[in-house]
Amino acid sequence: ETGVTQTPRHLVMGMTNKKSLKCEQHLGHNAMYWYKQSAKKPLELMFVYSLEERVENNSVPSRFSPECPNSSHLFLHLHTLQPEDSALYLCASSQVLQGDPNYGYTFGSGTRLTVV
Amino acid sequence: AQKVTQAQTEISVVEKEDVTLDCVYETRDTTYYLFWYKQPPSGELVFLIRRNSFDEQNEISGRYSWNFQKSTSSFNFTITASQVVDSAVYFCALSEAPGGSYIPTFGRGTSLIVHP
């Protein structure tokens, strides 16, 4: 399989549950991203892993915890979420080496999360 | 700081009309990339085009065309003879060239509705 794959596509969880979102890319990219897309709001960057460095948006609550075990896999661990965390969570990857002619971002289909 | 403005929140047209989606950007970098993505109801952001700051040639791909003007910091997207399948949210994005900041800045998106 090629491209960026996210699982699950849909997730319903209670506020006391613990779950994880998974993202996998088969493009040989060296950077991976988590975005949150809420209704009527712009795309919000949550975390970036690039060349083993992590960059995070300081406004992201600690109930979201990313993990990037290698350059092809990215996880978002969720615990004690709130209803306002319900959103579409998108994963993306890119190649950040200078001079790459195919520079761009490839997105997965997203996980639609509902917190009840 | 980088900024992308898509002033049109929602555009509604009738099939076969031409429609232009506006994108205005701000950056202090001399080398940067601009992107357009399409997000259909399924959720995945689909890459449409990448343009680097040194290439101001307009591009046409079928019914799609892009007008990049550095003088006005704009990268507008035109769909000719729109179709119902063009209905989606369209995002404009800006990123520094590889080697610099690898975090793209997205606009808030323009929702295009094409009526039959």
Side-chain angles (χ1 to χ4, degrees):
Chain A
E1 191 173 351
T2 59
V4 178
T5 304
Q6 289 187 244
T7 54
R9 289 296 308 274
H10 301 273
L11 177 63
V12 179
M13 59 185 288
M15 290 189 285
T16 58
N17 292 158
K18 288 184 180 181
K19 297 287 184 183
S20 296
L21 309 184
K22 179 182 177 181
C23 177
E24 189 173 357
Q25 59 98 0
H26 304 274
L27 301 168
H29 287 169
N30 60 6
M32 296 187 77
Y33 310 74
W34 278 117
Y35 282 89
K36 176 183 178 182
Q37 187 178 30
S38 303
K40 307 295 183 183
K41 291 185 178 180
L43 279 166
E44 176 188 356
L45 178 69
M46 300 178 73
F47 302 100
V48 181
Y49 279 88
S50 177
L51 303 173
E52 300 181 5
E53 179 188 21
R54 173 174 140 181
V55 176
E56 59 187 83
N57 181 339
N58 291 330
S59 68
V60 176
S62 59
R63 54 185 182 267
F64 295 92
S65 175
E67 179 189 2
C68 190
N70 55 61
S71 60
S72 299
H73 295 85
L74 183 66
F75 296 89
L76 187 62
H77 303 300
L78 317 171
H79 65 96
T80 59
L81 294 191
Q82 303 298 310
E84 60 263 29
D85 297 321
S86 298
L88 179 68
Y89 289 84
L90 290 161
C91 174
S93 70
S94 72
Q95 182 69 11
V96 298
L97 292 178
Q98 194 163 12
D100 187 300
N102 294 314
Y103 179 63
Y105 305 90
T106 303
F107 283 82
S109 298
T111 295
R112 193 162 295 280
L113 173 68
T114 303
V115 181
V116 297
Chain B
Q2 299 177 338
K3 185 179 179 182
V4 176
T5 301
Q6 294 180 257
Q8 303 149 310
T9 305
E10 184 176 297
I11 301 175
S12 182
V13 300
V14 177
E15 208 169 19
K16 297 184 183 178
E17 284 185 31
D18 297 347
V19 58
T20 296
L21 283 62
D22 297 332
C23 174
V24 174
Y25 63 92
E26 295 177 27
T27 180
R28 295 180 181 176
D29 300 308
T30 57
T31 304
Y32 51 89
Y33 283 82
L34 294 163
F35 305 83
W36 274 97
Y37 283 87
K38 173 182 180 180
Q39 186 179 36
S42 59
E44 178 180 358
L45 269 75
V46 177
F47 170 82
L48 295 179
I49 190 172
R50 177 190 71 249
R51 173 67 74 232
N52 74 51
S53 52
F54 296 110
D55 182 3
E56 285 194 72
Q57 274 193 334
N58 291 331
E59 182 157 338
I60 298 175
S61 176
R63 296 184 296 106
Y64 295 171
S65 62
W66 290 270
N67 185 340
F68 176 30
Q69 293 197 351
K70 289 180 75 172
S71 60
T72 56
S73 297
S74 65
F75 187 42
N76 296 338
F77 172 32
T78 298
I79 301 175
T80 303
S82 60
Q83 300 176 0
V84 173
V85 293
D86 295 327
S87 297
V89 180
Y90 291 85
F91 291 93
C92 181
L94 166 71
S95 178
E96 294 179 5
S101 169
Y102 37 75
I103 300 174
T105 300
F106 282 85
R108 297 179 69 97
T110 297
S111 176
L112 174 64
I113 303 170
V114 182
H115 299 281

